[in-house]
Amino acid sequence: MAKRSYNKTPIREQDAEVRSHNFKEVVLGYTMEEGNLEANRCLQCKDAPCIQHCPVMIDIPGFIKQIKEGDMDGARKVIARYSNLPAICGRVCPQEKQCEMVCRLGQSKKFEPVAIGKLERLVADWSLDHPEEPADIAHDKGKVAVVGSGPSGLTVAGDLANAGYDVTVFEALSKAGGVLSYGIPEFRLPKTIVQKEIDQISAQGVKIETDAIVGKTITMDEIMSDFDACYIGVGAGTPNFMKIPGTELNGVYASSEYLTRINLMHSYEFPKYDTPIEPAKDVVVIGGGNVAMDCARSARRLGAEKVTVAYRRSVEELPARVEEYHHSVEEGIDYSWLTSPIEYIGDENGQLSGVKCIKMQLGEPDDSGRRRPEPIPGSEFIIPATTAIEAIGQGANHVLLDTFPELATNKWGYIDADEETCATSIPGVFAGGDIVTGAATVILAMGAGKIAAKEIDQYITEKKANTVNN
Amino acid sequence: MFKVTDYKQHSATEFEVLIDAPRIAAKAKPGQFVIVQRNETSERIPLTICETLPEQEKIRIIFQVIGKSTYDLAKLRPGDELFSLAGPLGKPTEVQNYGTVLLVGGGVGIAALYPIVKGLKNAGNRVITILGAKNKDFMILADECEKYSDELILMTDDGTLGRKGLVTEAMEDVLKREKIDCSWAIGPGIMMRFCTQTAHKYDVPTYVSLNPIMIDGTGMCGGCRVSVGDDIKFACVDGPEFLGDQVDWDTFMNRMKQYHTQEKEAYAEVKEG
């Protein structure tokens, strides 16, 4: 065997200058040869820490071994035991904070960890090109409703269909996928990949009803009477606004609106698609998470000459994925660290012309352990911009919750569900993902889905056994 | 899916369709709306539900052609299917017995007013309805509103039907004449604003139905945000009805203009196409 390389096998990417003008995927993925080379870097640890740090506990050395042996079908089967959405997770998981963070190879000096995410993606993409005949499963163990077709809902649905349940997913939008469809842009997660992965879940017998808004189109009462159990995975999709003066100006967007127009409605293809978006020369994006990166890079691709990300802390505290931060810098995104907007300035037409900001300094650590940003008096300055996008986080959507007050929520307005079991205050109603935790990651939502599927199976099995016994 | 079953042209720019939508027909209440997307490449636009026909599992929508999306909808014929139809959305009108109510509709806003007229009449109110249009050809639903109104006043800009003048003139007459307990005004922004001011002089609260730009219509994006009182509200989930006195009309009407350039471009292209 060739000597183990210190570094990850490099992955091909679109040139930064070229890609900053298109919405095509940036990272092109491994070839089989590259994948094989990378798979050979894995130490095949017996007590693999990477597994423990994957929220759905994929047998990582197991599937990497299959790649090494050239058995892609075998690798697919290993991953499929744990994940319903590997092509998505391989692309968007923050591996540097999960599986790859604890990779033993990466712990030794000089060595980078195994590129687990990229290998998962290789297997998943191969698998989408080589679809399997769906297993012939009878769906007669009971009826389950899943509210929301984001990553957690799709995971619950896929697992329960495989376990023999008749599953219906209710989705409010016209397309399934939740944040995978309206939030994460094409250049990180191609929508054809999302659709193929969802099609595979449908092929397992899951019914997906779009345009079905639970609480409006269908009530929770109807769901409770028509189904044996229900899973609520409606996410945290309601935008927060900072509510600084000038929020009502034209050109001020919440990240959710900006990204929904682009991703779900294809406004970057206007007028081929009807939904417009405002083109802007100067754009300010507020925030430091993945959503802020996605907005900034989208604005660039829409033709903005200068895109500035204003973040109130410094680069060390940036919550976004490292890979995406680097991509954004390569694409010419500017950063204004320790910067907090205090007012939107408008022109005489009610159009945004600039964002007034104040410089911050880091004080004592707060409850989250991060140093608290404090404004420096007298340091105000204006960044000229005709578009500003607030990417400062989302809260719980209350369309369903307002019509179902019996369901207990916590002080932040999220559903009060047991993290170990996803059980809510109402028997038979389970919940997980962002509607329980607040905005988090795709893989954590999937992890909750895995747990919920097991618990729902157990709940229905016990309920049916009791009915028979009585 | 969502099949169009009937079609009717009311005026040069106003059209009506009946759509098969059993779930929406069973649940919609006065004041609620749907989000319609004609084709996969179309945009999502909000339209008020004019009437539900639960036995026939249909909803009735009346709209005015003002741009590309409504132009596309006007081409719908029985048998056509919509790509997407979501609803019923928004908070329903607070239908109860207020006593005497004054309902004012302008232009295609009458289609949104009609279910409220009907609802309030059925709830036992004395209903006075004022409808305004450019001329007699553009007056819609007058007969249907009359059925559920104790008094119906028609106004046209050119006097070809009813009285010549603005709806606010008719409002003044009614407000001077008798005590009104609550009023509603639905139509163009400028009309709703002046109706609110007129009723305000007589201490009568006015509910308006706001029609800002919307995308999802379910509270997920904030595109439809409006300043109401001192707060930011999302018209799709907190409204679309608000007290007219609390609405910041300048910013509301300014935000409506946000995409004028693109809207004109898209409409010009389809009309020439």
Side-chain angles (χ1 to χ4, degrees):
Chain A
M1 198 189 82
K3 193 166 169 281
R4 214 170 245 118
S5 156
Y6 290 142
N7 297 324
K8 286 180 179 176
T9 308
I11 198 147
R12 288 161 306 125
E13 291 180 348
Q14 266 199 81
D15 173 74
E17 172 51 29
V18 173
R19 75 179 190 237
S20 61
H21 301 289
N22 70 49
F23 275 84
K24 290 185 202 139
E25 192 167 23
V26 168
V27 179
L28 302 173
Y30 281 148
T31 60
M32 287 298 169
E33 293 72 32
E34 288 162 345
N36 196 271
L37 200 64
E38 184 61 19
N40 272 294
R41 294 180 70 238
C42 174
L43 299 170
Q44 290 292 314
C45 310
K46 281 248 160 51
D47 172 24
C50 54
I51 301 179
Q52 303 304 319
H53 279 75
C54 167
V56 297
M57 295 182 75
I58 295 177
D59 174 7
I60 292 164
F63 88 77
I64 293 182
K65 185 159 173 280
Q66 304 287 349
I67 301 177
K68 255 165 80 170
E69 291 168 3
D71 181 2
M72 294 304 279
D73 190 51
R76 168 230 309 265
K77 290 200 166 81
V78 173
I79 296 178
R81 287 208 293 270
Y82 307 91
S83 171
N84 295 317
L85 306 164
I88 291 161
C89 287
R91 285 173 167 83
V92 303
C93 272
Q95 289 102 5
E96 72 273 13
K97 291 174 189 159
Q98 295 173 339
C99 54
E100 293 180 20
M101 183 177 78
V102 294
C103 168
R104 287 238 168 84
L105 184 66
Q107 305 299 307
S108 52
K109 268 187 198 162
K110 294 185 181 173
F111 282 93
E112 284 181 356
V114 175
I116 299 168
K118 302 286 189 286
L119 289 174
E120 180 187 26
R121 169 185 163 160
L122 174 69
V123 175
D125 286 358
W126 179 90
S127 167
L128 292 176
D129 290 337
H130 300 81
E132 273 186 311
E133 277 295 303
D136 199 10
I137 298 171
H139 298 108
D140 55 4
K141 284 179 72 180
K143 281 179 75 183
V144 180
V146 173
V147 186
S149 67
S152 80
L154 289 174
T155 299
V156 173
D159 279 11
L160 287 175
N162 283 333
Y165 287 90
D166 178 359
V167 185
T168 306
V169 179
F170 296 102
E171 167 57 48
L173 289 172
S174 56
K175 279 204 182 99
V179 76
L180 308 171
S181 291
Y182 71 76
I184 305 175
E186 187 79 18
F187 54 82
R188 280 212 292 141
L189 181 62
K191 300 307 146 213
T192 48
I193 298 283
V194 174
Q195 196 53 53
K196 278 188 194 170
E197 213 133 76
I198 292 172
D199 288 346
Q200 292 211 336
I201 291 173
S202 301
Q204 291 163 20
V206 172
K207 285 168 273 186
I208 300 180
E209 290 197 29
T210 52
D211 287 321
I213 305 153
V214 175
K216 296 279 185 186
T217 319
I218 306 162
T219 62
M220 277 304 292
D221 282 348
E222 287 169 301
I223 287 191
M224 303 286 281
S225 66
D226 290 352
F227 294 88
D228 296 306
C230 147
Y231 178 77
I232 302 176
V234 295
T238 297
N240 297 326
F241 282 95
M242 289 185 297
K243 299 192 177 179
I244 59 177
T247 304
E248 72 289 347
L249 289 167
N250 289 347
V252 178
Y253 291 88
S255 57
S256 339
E257 178 186 354
Y258 198 73
L259 293 175
T260 300
R261 283 180 183 273
I262 292 172
N263 299 319
L264 186 72
M265 306 312 293
H266 289 255
S267 60
Y268 63 95
E269 294 186 73
F270 181 87
K272 185 182 155 202
Y273 283 76
D274 292 344
T275 305
I277 194 151
E278 232 158 53
K281 197 156 70 69
D282 297 303
V283 176
V284 170
V285 176
I286 298 138
N290 287 318
V291 176
M293 305 293 110
D294 288 344
C295 290
R297 298 172 70 198
S298 296
R300 182 88 170 136
R301 283 159 171 78
L302 286 169
E305 287 167 21
K306 189 171 168 65
V307 181
T308 309
V309 175
Y311 180 51
R312 62 199 183 117
R313 292 183 159 104
S314 62
V315 63
E316 285 82 33
E317 288 86 11
L318 199 72
R321 285 194 67 195
V322 174
E323 180 181 10
E324 304 312 336
Y325 167 65
H326 288 315
H327 281 149
S328 75
V329 173
E330 287 168 7
E331 289 163 12
I333 307 297
D334 289 325
Y335 284 80
S336 184
W337 305 113
L338 295 162
T339 298
S340 191
I342 49 173
E343 187 183 346
Y344 295 113
I345 315 283
D347 65 14
E348 63 285 359
N349 298 316
Q351 168 65 46
L352 180 75
S353 61
V355 182
K356 191 186 218 180
C357 299
I358 191 161
K359 275 290 177 191
M360 311 292 277
Q361 58 192 353
L362 293 179
E364 293 302 307
D366 63 12
D367 296 344
S368 73
R370 295 188 301 178
R371 293 174 65 194
R372 191 195 302 273
E374 288 154 7
I376 304 173
S379 66
E380 291 87 350
F381 65 106
I382 291 174
I383 310 176
T386 52
T387 289
I389 307 159
E390 290 193 7
I392 56 160
Q394 291 99 241
N397 186 306
H398 275 260
V399 168
L400 180 148
L401 301 179
D402 284 351
T403 61
F404 194 36
E406 308 90 297
L407 188 66
T409 52
N410 62 26
K411 63 177 171 173
W412 299 281
Y414 296 114
I415 295 176
D416 199 357
D418 184 337
E419 276 183 46
E420 306 282 304
T421 64
C422 294
T424 68
S425 59
I426 296 175
V429 177
F430 297 78
D434 287 2
I435 189 57
V436 172
T437 58
T441 60
V442 168
I443 189 74
L444 284 175
M446 284 182 57
K450 298 295 284 189
I451 295 171
K454 271 199 197 115
E455 294 290 329
I456 291 170
D457 181 20
Q458 195 183 337
Y459 169 82
I460 295 179
T461 308
E462 278 170 18
K463 192 171 87 170
K464 299 226 156 162
N466 289 340
T467 323
V468 173
N469 291 342
N470 299 337
Chain B
M1 284 317 294
F2 308 104
K3 191 178 274 190
V4 171
T5 62
D6 289 276
Y7 158 86
K8 187 174 162 189
Q9 180 161 5
H10 284 270
S11 71
T13 56
E14 291 158 323
F15 298 83
E16 164 175 335
V17 285
L18 293 189
I19 307 166
D20 263 337
R23 282 173 173 162
I24 302 175
K27 300 221 163 53
K29 295 197 169 66
Q32 291 189 297
F33 66 94
V34 285
I35 293 267
V36 181
Q37 190 181 354
R38 171 66 188 95
N39 296 308
E40 192 160 5
T41 56
S42 306
E43 60 180 343
R44 295 165 66 92
I45 59 164
L47 293 170
T48 308
I49 302 164
C50 173
E51 193 163 24
T52 57
L53 310 160
E55 303 79 28
Q56 299 176 46
E57 306 191 322
K58 288 175 192 175
I59 59 168
R60 180 184 184 198
I61 305 285
I62 298 180
F63 58 93
Q64 184 185 13
V65 175
I66 51 163
K68 173 162 194 299
S69 298
T70 41
Y71 180 88
D72 287 345
L73 293 183
K75 288 189 287 190
L76 286 172
R77 292 296 176 272
D80 289 343
E81 282 180 11
L82 297 169
F83 174 73
S84 169
L85 182 72
L89 295 167
K91 290 209 169 93
T93 303
E94 288 263 350
V95 173
Q96 51 170 291
N97 193 340
Y98 296 88
T100 303
V101 291
L102 177 59
L103 293 119
V104 189
V108 77
I110 296 170
L113 188 81
Y114 169 58
I116 304 174
V117 170
K118 194 170 159 183
L120 289 171
K121 181 66 201 166
N122 289 337
N125 291 280
R126 191 172 108 76
V127 176
I128 304 168
T129 305
I130 301 169
L131 304 181
K134 217 175 352 180
N135 60 47
K136 73 170 177 11
D137 295 332
F138 285 87
M139 183 64 79
I140 55 169
L141 300 173
D143 294 343
E144 279 154 296
C145 285
E146 186 164 33
K147 234 173 98 184
Y148 297 99
S149 303
D150 295 274
E151 185 182 349
L152 177 75
I153 303 166
L154 301 179
M155 304 292 293
T156 48
D157 294 351
D158 63 358
T160 47
L161 181 68
R163 256 176 75 186
K164 182 178 166 159
L166 300 172
V167 288
T168 42
E169 295 166 30
M171 275 183 87
E172 289 270 2
D173 293 347
V174 173
L175 290 161
K176 261 184 211 151
R177 184 185 78 196
E178 65 182 295
K179 186 181 170 295
I180 300 293
D181 296 293
C182 197
S183 72
W184 276 259
I186 305 180
I190 191 79
M191 179 208 109
M192 294 194 282
R193 180 180 199 165
F194 282 113
C195 289
T196 300
Q197 284 172 5
T198 306
H200 182 89
K201 285 191 282 181
Y202 299 86
D203 289 327
V204 177
T206 307
Y207 287 97
V208 295
S209 181
L210 299 185
N211 52 343
I213 294 170
M214 287 189 189
I215 302 120
D216 65 287
T218 61
M220 297 278 286
C221 82
C224 68
R225 66 186 185 275
V226 286
S227 305
V228 176
D230 289 327
D231 213 359
I232 295 175
K233 297 279 188 193
F234 292 180
C236 71
V237 289
D238 301 317
E241 271 183 31
F242 296 100
L243 274 173
D245 267 338
Q246 296 188 354
V247 173
D248 180 341
W249 290 101
D250 285 333
T251 63
F252 169 72
M253 289 197 273
N254 195 56
R255 281 183 63 80
M256 299 281 277
K257 296 192 308 210
Q258 185 153 3
Y259 295 98
H260 260 187
T261 317
Q262 292 98 326
E263 284 163 0
K264 264 193 256 166
E265 182 194 335
Y267 194 22
E269 192 169 294
V270 72
K271 276 199 290 194
E272 285 157 16

